[in-house]
Amino acid sequence: MTQVLLLGGTFDAHVLSNRLDAAGIACTYSFAGATQSRREQALPTRVGGFGGIVGLTHYLQAHKISHVIDATHPFAAQMSRHAIAACGALGIPLLSMERPPWQATAHDQWTHVADMEAAACTLRPHHHRVFLAIGRKQLPMFASLSASHHFLLRVVDQPDAPLLPAPHALIVERGPFQLDDELALIRTHAIDCIISKNAGGKDTYAKIKAARQLHLPVIMVNRPSLPQRMQCETPEEAMQWLRSQL
Ligand code: NAP
């Protein structure tokens, strides 16, 4: 019997969940519970971590999961590694759905860095006003930097105040974001550098386009590397894979 576990946390996962529901495929949609605001779901959901690889392995067995689709964010590497390990051990087919990374054009000024720590080290004293749209989790990494940098922080949920870099301005807002709005935001805050994860997709790409248009440098954090696994890019491809499995 088909019983899918969909590991979510992205807009594409939401789109796929609607497709699975419409196709009548039995599926549980799993959220980490990291954000307070969640989109309405047609599928049955579960919220919260599984308890590492061991916990996930038990969950997969207890719920007789036949297929796992990992549609987590490309930077949610721990969850993806756990899924690879647990599915590998149990012989459960696993598909990763991940949108392709953004590519620099000849008009971009990107500095590629391996992780967020390297991004913080790459900031230079002349980067006075930095747009940091990287989520809540890694903001504390910037809290110890010199107060010569002023940060514009944009997050989905209100972060813990003591962990924030000072000085800063805070915007609590969920994408998608439009180019005109990003241009206005960058101009209003006199931003001279942007730090971004290479998330891929359209929803948060407008700030990268705006940087290109305004000739601003971008410190681009590369995706974490993961072991090889079956991959696709879109919900359509994920549905095709699942149908080919049934
Ligand atoms: P992470 O570091 O890979 O995961 C940390 C832990 O959270 C995992 O070990 C797992 O706990 C739990 N977890 C993560 N995704 C889960 C899911 N879909 N269902 C159940 N448990 C889950 O991930 P993260 O970077 O903290 O991101 C958390 C969630 O936010 C992910 O679902 C991701 O898709 C979403 N998200 C992340 C980013 C980002 O930039 N990292 C951006 C947008 C959305 P256990 O070990 O206890 O199982």
Side-chain angles (χ1 to χ4, degrees):
M1 208 182 88
T2 305
Q3 181 65 50
V4 178
L5 175 65
L6 174 62
L7 301 169
T10 59
F11 182 70
D12 283 348
H14 173 71
V15 173
L16 177 59
S17 72
N18 286 337
R19 294 276 174 93
L20 290 162
D21 180 57
I25 295 172
C27 176
T28 301
Y29 191 154
S30 176
F31 293 97
T35 54
Q36 287 145 19
S37 49
R38 263 197 306 277
R39 296 180 179 92
E40 287 273 309
Q41 263 317 309
L43 290 174
T45 58
R46 65 163 302 285
V47 182
F50 297 93
I53 297 170
V54 173
L56 178 59
T57 306
H58 286 157
Y59 179 92
L60 296 174
Q61 288 175 312
H63 292 82
K64 299 190 167 38
I65 300 297
S66 61
H67 298 81
V68 176
I69 300 180
D70 176 4
T72 57
H73 191 270
F75 281 78
Q78 183 165 299
M79 186 68 253
S80 297
R81 285 197 185 99
H82 291 180
I84 293 167
C87 290
L90 297 173
I92 295 176
L94 166 70
L95 177 73
S96 156
M97 182 177 77
E98 201 173 83
R99 54 209 177 189
W102 298 319
Q103 303 294 335
T105 71
H107 305 286
D108 287 311
Q109 300 172 47
W110 293 6
T111 302
H112 293 275
V113 294
D115 52 32
M116 206 50 79
E117 213 172 334
C121 294
T122 303
L123 272 183
R124 291 289 163 261
H126 67 271
H127 295 138
H128 294 296
R129 300 186 64 85
V130 183
F131 185 12
L132 200 53
I134 59 165
R136 273 183 307 173
K137 209 168 138 182
Q138 289 169 308
L139 290 179
M141 214 168 277
F142 294 84
S144 57
L145 292 184
S146 137
S148 66
H149 305 293
H150 181 283
F151 290 98
L152 171 62
L153 312 175
R154 185 166 64 195
V155 290
V156 173
D157 291 310
Q158 186 77 32
D160 292 336
L163 303 176
L164 299 183
H168 72 259
L170 178 68
I171 300 174
V172 180
E173 197 178 3
R174 185 195 275 276
F177 302 103
Q178 305 305 319
L179 179 59
D180 285 349
D181 298 331
E182 296 294 61
L183 286 167
L185 186 72
I186 288 170
R187 286 187 176 120
T188 303
H189 290 268
I191 296 298
D192 53 30
C193 178
I194 296 176
I195 298 183
S196 174
K197 293 175 177 174
N198 195 337
K202 291 182 197 149
D203 285 9
T204 57
Y205 189 57
K207 64 175 181 289
I208 305 300
K209 275 193 189 163
R212 184 178 306 145
Q213 207 161 307
L214 299 172
H215 309 291
L216 290 182
V218 176
I219 298 175
M220 185 62 80
V221 182
N222 293 337
R223 295 179 175 189
S225 59
L226 288 165
Q228 266 209 326
R229 61 229 156 110
M230 184 70 77
Q231 278 187 288
C232 75
E233 294 181 355
T234 63
E236 294 76 42
E237 289 168 2
M239 290 301 291
Q240 278 169 18
W241 173 81
L242 201 52
R243 288 204 178 96
S244 75
Q245 295 275 315
L246 302 182

